[in-house]
Amino acid sequence: MGFIAFLKTQFIVHLLIGFVFVVSGLIINLIQLCTLVLWPINKQFYRRVNCRLAYSLWSQLVMLLEWWSGTECTLFSDEATVNTFGKEHVIIILNHNFEIDFLCGWTMTERFGVLGSSKVLAKRELLYVPLIGWTWYFLEIVFCKRKWEEDRDTVIEGLKRLADYPEYMWFLLYCEGTRFTETKHRISMEVAESKGLPKLKYHLLPRTKGFTTAVQCLRGTVSAVYDVTLNFRGNKNPSLLGILYGKKYEADMCVR
C-alpha cells in the first residue's frame, strides 16, 4: 500500500475532510443568507451568485468521487446529444440503484459547467438539513412532501419560477422516488400486476406526477429530456464510505 493510499484509510484524514466541508459549507450558507438583499434589486444577479456559491460546495463532493477515490464515470451517447450538453435547459431522468448515483449525476453536470445550477425535486425534510438543504433553499430547489394533494400547488409554483432562470439548468429527477432494493422491487411489481402495468426487471414503477408536472411547467424553457441509465462494472454496489476510503469504482452512464 502506497503512502497516499494509506492516508485515505485514516480516520483523522476523514475527519479533516468532513471538517473542511462543514466549515466551508456554513460559511457559504452565511454568504447566501447575505445575498438575499440582492433578490429585490436584481433577481438574476442573485441567482448567478448563488450558482457559484453552490458550485464551491458541491465541487468538494465531486472531487471526492473523481480525484480522491479515482472513480471513473464513462459517458455513452451520440455525438448530436453530446454537442448540446451544457448549452440548453433540460430535464434528466435517472435510475436510482446506488448510494452514490447522485454523485455520478453531479459529476456529469460538473463536466459540462452546470453543477452550480443543477436542480432536483427534493423531499421537504431535506430543507432543514444544514449545508445541503440550506444551499438548495437559496438555489430555489423545489421541495415536496410526496403527498400530491398537498404538493401540487407548491411544486407547480416552484417550477414556474424557474422558467426565466439565467444559467443553463439541468433538472435531475429520480422518477422511481426511492432507491432500488429487491424488497421494494417485489412490492412494486405486485402493484404493477394488480394494475395491469408492464413488469420491469431493473426498475421500480416510476412516480409520474413529478415528471409530467415538470414537463408541463417548464415547457418552452426546457429543450430536451435526457434519459440516463447508470450502472457499475463488476456488479459492484458502491457506497459513500467506500469513496471516503479511496475505493475506486467504474461507472457507465448511457444518455439518450
Side-chain angles (χ1 to χ4, degrees), residues 18-30 56-57 60 131:
F19 177 78
V20 171
F21 181 75
V22 170
V23 171
S24 63
L26 291 174
I27 292 172
I28 289 167
N29 287 162
L30 179 60
S56 64
L57 187 60
Q60 295 181 48
L131 308 182

Side-chain angles (χ1 to χ4, degrees), residues 40 147 238:
K147 297 179 180 178

Side-chain angles (χ1 to χ4, degrees), residues 24-195:
S24 63
L26 291 174
I27 292 172
I28 289 167
N29 287 162
L30 179 60
I31 296 173
Q32 288 181 303
L33 182 62
C34 295
T35 65
L36 285 175
V37 298
L38 297 173
W39 180 272
I41 301 170
N42 190 328
K43 180 175 70 173
Q44 302 297 44
F45 181 61
Y46 162 89
R47 285 169 158 174
R48 294 183 188 278
V49 168
N50 274 278
C51 283
R52 282 145 187 82
L53 289 171
Y55 176 85
S56 64
L57 187 60
W58 302 153
S59 60
Q60 295 181 48
L61 299 178
V62 173
M63 177 275 295
L64 282 178
L65 181 75
E66 290 196 324
W67 179 78
W68 184 257
S69 78
T71 293
E72 296 178 357
C73 293
T74 305
L75 195 62
F76 296 87
S77 190
D78 60 274
E79 186 176 357
T81 302
V82 172
N83 290 339
T84 65
F85 285 169
K87 300 174 183 177
E88 59 183 357
H89 296 297
V90 298
I91 292 173
I92 299 180
I93 53 175
L94 308 95
N95 58 317
H96 202 2
N97 286 43
F98 309 100
E99 191 174 299
I100 68 166
D101 49 12
F102 79 96
L103 268 182
C104 293
W106 276 358
T107 292
M108 181 179 168
T109 62
E110 198 278 334
R111 288 182 187 177
F112 299 99
V114 291
L115 175 60
S117 57
S118 62
K119 310 293 180 189
V120 294
L121 189 61
K123 291 186 290 187
R124 187 162 184 83
E125 292 82 359
L126 293 173
L127 174 61
Y128 308 104
V129 177
L131 308 182
I132 292 178
W134 294 354
T135 302
W136 275 347
Y137 171 79
F138 294 109
L139 281 177
E140 301 168 78
I141 292 298
V142 181
F143 293 95
C144 61
K145 299 178 182 177
R146 291 188 174 180
K147 297 179 180 178
W148 187 243
E149 295 75 17
E150 299 179 29
D151 287 333
R152 185 178 184 278
D153 292 342
T154 302
V155 170
I156 291 175
E157 181 183 347
L159 288 169
K160 286 185 174 179
R161 279 202 307 266
L162 298 174
D164 63 343
Y165 210 77
E167 303 273 332
Y168 286 123
M169 170 183 65
W170 284 13
F171 200 99
L172 283 68
L173 288 174
Y174 294 99
C175 294
E176 293 166 281
T178 185
R179 195 147 56 90
F180 182 100
T181 66
E182 291 300 329
T183 301
K184 292 175 184 176
H185 181 254
R186 176 178 52 80
I187 296 171
S188 182
M189 292 308 99
E190 289 173 357
V191 173
E193 185 175 15
S194 69
K195 294 184 176 182

